[in-house]
Amino acid sequence: MRDLPPTATLRAFEVATRHTTFTSAAAELFITQSAVSHQLKKLEEIWGLQLFQRGKNLSLTPAGAALAPLVREFFSKLETTLADLREQKGRVRLRVNTTYSFALKWLLPRLPELARLHPEILVTLESTDQAINFASTDADVAIRFGHGNYPALHTEFMFREQLFPVASPALLQRFGTPREPAELLRYPLLTRDGADLVPKWDVWFKLVGINTEVLHESVRFADTNMTIEAALLGQGIALARSGHVEKELGEGTLVRLFAVPFPSPAAYYFVCPQGIETRPHIVKFRSWLQAESQQAQCSYR
């Protein structure tokens, strides 16, 4: 660009926009007051614009006020990008695609341990509930919830969750703690709307020997996280997947009701394009993921 001035001149302008005198601007830049004045005059000549009203105090002209935030943003982004690149030096980026609820509830709390074990791996998370298509995404690997049918992809089973009812202590105090599964029929039940992979109350009731077509539904939700949040607020009892309520059960903000084994019909799978599973950083990630999955599987039983 013909009108792009030297960086030092731009820096002098950016600093001067935050000061009221050449003297204070010069002090921040560690140069003389006359050097600052010279840089700003040079910039005004290059752009053919008056940028400052000079008097007892510096003040920006309309042109200077319009350009100041652009120059400030330029230096801010430059400094941020340089810091990020220096931090990444010697590290390898791994782009992981998974569902939003799994990333939020299961993967994110475990990532500090991955960073401790493998500081050389820089994970970038992206989330979507759509079927994975590596041809249209920058993701290197993905974690998917389903039945393991991912043609032409390298696929590894991770773990299967347990399904069970959960309620907040406040709701149990209000309604009482159910002593047997049939009593849940008189409680407000939170229902997750959606596909076949979503836990269904009627399936759970059949598992415990109760055939019913009448459920006291409270609200239907299109999102797992909203269902759990409603349970936390005491709005009803949710049929939760174990991996999505680890934190809440540990803190006591949700209580598991009935130790009835009910494995999820779907499971979590690690998938990636064929051939890249042997790359060193992906091998490390897969090994860590499998160790975490085995530990989670044991705790869910």
Side-chain angles (χ1 to χ4, degrees), residues 90-92 94 113-115 117-123 141 156 270 276-292:
R91 305 177 74 188
V92 59
L94 178 63
E113 179 64 11
L114 174 65
L117 292 172
H118 300 292
E120 73 280 8
I121 299 177
L122 182 62
V123 171
V141 302
E156 294 180 27
F270 170 90
I276 74 165
E277 71 275 6
T278 57
R279 293 178 183 175
H281 65 295
I282 294 180
V283 170
K284 292 175 183 177
F285 180 72
R286 285 168 50 214
S287 298
W288 171 80
L289 204 58
Q290 288 293 355
E292 291 292 327

Side-chain angles (χ1 to χ4, degrees), residues 90-148:
R91 305 177 74 188
V92 59
R93 185 180 296 275
L94 178 63
R95 294 176 176 84
V96 181
N97 180 293
T98 187
T99 62
Y100 177 76
S101 60
F102 181 81
L104 181 67
K105 293 293 187 178
W106 196 92
L107 189 56
L108 274 179
R110 290 171 165 84
L111 284 182
E113 179 64 11
L114 174 65
R116 186 187 69 82
L117 292 172
H118 300 292
E120 73 280 8
I121 299 177
L122 182 62
V123 171
T124 299
L125 273 182
E126 60 179 50
S127 63
T128 176
D129 289 336
Q130 303 301 316
I132 186 65
N133 181 359
F134 286 101
S136 60
T137 179
D138 291 332
D140 301 304
V141 302
I143 300 167
R144 277 292 173 265
F145 184 65
H147 300 294

Side-chain angles (χ1 to χ4, degrees), residues 65-192:
L67 289 164
L70 299 178
V71 175
R72 192 172 298 126
E73 182 182 15
F74 163 74
F75 280 108
S76 175
K77 287 186 175 180
L78 179 62
E79 290 169 359
T80 300
T81 302
L82 284 171
D84 186 47
L85 289 172
R86 291 186 184 111
E87 182 185 355
Q88 294 177 30
K89 190 176 180 180
R91 305 177 74 188
V92 59
R93 185 180 296 275
L94 178 63
R95 294 176 176 84
V96 181
N97 180 293
T98 187
T99 62
Y100 177 76
S101 60
F102 181 81
L104 181 67
K105 293 293 187 178
W106 196 92
L107 189 56
L108 274 179
R110 290 171 165 84
L111 284 182
E113 179 64 11
L114 174 65
R116 186 187 69 82
L117 292 172
H118 300 292
E120 73 280 8
I121 299 177
L122 182 62
V123 171
T124 299
L125 273 182
E126 60 179 50
S127 63
T128 176
D129 289 336
Q130 303 301 316
I132 186 65
N133 181 359
F134 286 101
S136 60
T137 179
D138 291 332
D140 301 304
V141 302
I143 300 167
R144 277 292 173 265
F145 184 65
H147 300 294
N149 183 26
Y150 305 103
L153 294 177
H154 174 83
T155 304
E156 294 180 27
F157 173 83
M158 285 175 51
F159 67 90
R160 190 179 304 276
E161 295 167 300
Q162 290 288 326
L163 306 175
F164 44 73
V166 294
S168 71
L171 181 133
L172 296 178
Q173 187 175 14
R174 194 163 72 247
F175 286 88
T177 302
R179 293 166 296 178
E180 56 185 43
E183 292 184 21
L184 290 184
L185 293 172
R186 64 180 178 84
Y187 286 75
L189 302 178
L190 303 172
T191 305
R192 164 76 203 277

Side-chain angles (χ1 to χ4, degrees), residues 9 18 40 56-57 63 85 92 129 207 242 245 267 269 273 276:
T9 305
R18 296 186 278 102
L40 296 179
K56 185 176 181 180
N57 292 319
L85 289 172
V92 59
D129 289 336
L207 178 73
S242 50
V245 289
Y269 293 85
I276 74 165

